[in-house]
Amino acid sequence: MDPVLRGLPSAFWSVPYVGSRFPGSPAVAARPGLAAGANCQLFAYEVLRHFGLVPPALRSSDLWTDTRATVRVSAARPLDLMLFNSTDDAYGAHVGVRTREERVLHLCAEVGRPAVWEPAEFAARERYRVLVGIKRVTAGRENRGACNSY
């Protein structure tokens, strides 16, 4: 099995999709973590934190333009963030985490719980058909040599 997926505690697999729980939201400020649910960004960032990375708490378009804690890359590696949308606009893009087996771990309203999809499953859905791009979190990587081996 994929080491990224195998490395997640069982609690990650039962996180419900809650659209109002996004980075910077009052709901997350009042009750941090995943126990009360998450949107795609909050879920993806918590996955990365579990593996020792330090993603910025940004919404999709701000994540896409960020250059302090992330870099854009053309080829995805495990633990990279992948942004999907109906167009190439990062505003409102769906965020998932690339796994070792070239799949994407994500949390979406359609499924309601974390799911692992192949790129073709995103492309088959109008709202996720375009891969906006890939972001690699650089903050924390220098301290987590094991992350780089995924």
Side-chain angles (χ1 to χ4, degrees), residues 17 22-23 39-42 44-45 58-64 81-96 106-108 122 127-135:
Y17 180 86
F22 55 87
N39 81 337
C40 63
Q41 298 146 345
L42 184 62
Y45 298 162
L58 301 173
R59 300 300 302 268
S60 301
S61 56
D62 294 328
L63 170 64
W64 188 238
L81 297 168
M82 301 184 73
L83 287 76
F84 297 91
N85 210 345
S86 60
T87 69
D88 63 358
D89 187 359
Y91 183 83
H94 183 62
V95 178
H106 66 113
L107 178 61
C108 69
F122 288 95
R127 67 191 308 173
Y128 306 131
R129 68 182 176 87
V130 176
L131 173 61
V132 174
I134 306 159
K135 293 292 297 229

Side-chain angles (χ1 to χ4, degrees), residues 4-18:
V4 171
L5 302 178
R6 187 179 62 240
L8 286 177
S10 60
F12 275 83
W13 296 103
S14 60
V15 175
Y17 180 86
V18 179

Side-chain angles (χ1 to χ4, degrees), residues 10 12 16 20 24 33 37 55-56 67 69 73 75 80 89 101 112 124 126-127 135 141 143:
S10 60
F12 275 83
S20 63
T67 57
V73 296
D80 283 347
D89 187 359
E101 296 173 353
E126 179 64 27
R127 67 191 308 173
K135 293 292 297 229
R141 274 195 195 267
N143 300 323

Side-chain angles (χ1 to χ4, degrees), residues 9 34 48 55 60 77 83 117 125 129 136:
L34 297 176
L48 296 187
S60 301
R77 293 191 321 212
L83 287 76
W117 289 357
R125 291 165 169 83
R129 68 182 176 87
R136 182 166 297 145

